[in-house]
Amino acid sequence: MMTGRFILYHNGHFRLENEVACCSRLTGDSLKLLGLIMNRVNTAQAQLPTKVALPRLLLKRVFGNKDDKTVKNYAKRLMEYGFIETFSMQGGDRGEFVFSITDRPENNPFVFLSHAENEVIANTELYKGQKADSLLQAFTAAVKVVEHNYAARLKSAAESHRETILTAYRNYLSEVLQADGKAYVGTRQVKPKTNKAKPEPTETALPDDVQLWSYPEFESHFLSEYRKATGKKHRTKNREGKTVTDCIKELQHHYRDLDRAEQKPTMKKHIEAFFVCYDSKKLNPRAFFMADCDVLCKVEDYLKTGQKPIVYEERSIKDKKGMSQEEMRAQQVREAKQERKGLSLEALEQILGEGN
């Protein structure tokens, strides 16, 4: 007769959402009782609201041969926080506990509140020397003052307004935890991606035949010469983001009109001559400085004449805003001579004439 009335548990299933299982209002045994009730609802595929009858003898056994008072205490806790509406005992020792339930536990306002509380606590950092237990005791006391008010607001609010209420609750909890200066509440953030450090320029073994060199080989040769001259490693980029390879490309562009057979050997000689002309007391011989059009021309002249130029003037690396009109004109002439800027020969000659 009992088998016909009560669905056997091994044919049923017990399911509670994580938020319900982590609800601070539910103790271990009250959570177990709620699970037994929901097991019956799930197994019977009952529509809520509904009543669930569980054998009194079964419950006493499940809870360790406890007396009826113990089971009643668990039921009272479920009713206090709205997980069940009512409960009653019927039929004496051979009877049943009957529970009425109106909604699934994951929709319970206190489950929402506990979830918000757990989020705040998870993002709380105790200051050095502070005790977790004392802070949590004060936190729990503060929660008790407002929990029923917020639960009532959540129960009557439309689903679209629920998050606004919970945000206000989280803010309140954060203020409570931080009020006495014992802790700090941060915000949950996505773990930032670790930016991999960009590799530093490296020196590599170079082919004996310079005609086999590409940009990386010229870069390595420059870095090797720089280390010999300064005893330091070259920086990866300058403030404008220009790399050593970019400077090597400008050096190649400077000698673009040479025969192909002469271009790479001349570039190699230029890099070496750049450090011969360098005065360590004046300027750092970085690649970004070598790629300056004025310096390119001076080193080229040194290769042709063998006359070491005067130490590179500071104006070669000054911001153009700091140049005088004469310096600006001289710079424009040098740049025009190097690049031709797409000008006709007549226009170029006019500019050069004005410069002289």
Side-chain angles (χ1 to χ4, degrees), residues 179-201:
D180 57 3
K182 294 180 180 179
Y184 167 74
V185 181
T187 56
R188 180 172 295 176
Q189 297 179 346
V190 177
K191 186 178 180 180
K193 293 182 179 179
T194 302
N195 293 325
K196 294 183 179 179
K198 294 184 178 179
E200 294 287 332

Side-chain angles (χ1 to χ4, degrees), residues 5-21:
R5 179 162 184 181
F6 297 99
I7 301 173
L8 295 177
Y9 286 90
H10 64 266
N11 291 329
H13 62 283
F14 178 108
R15 184 176 71 85
L16 290 175
E17 301 292 336
N18 287 339
E19 286 80 2
V20 178

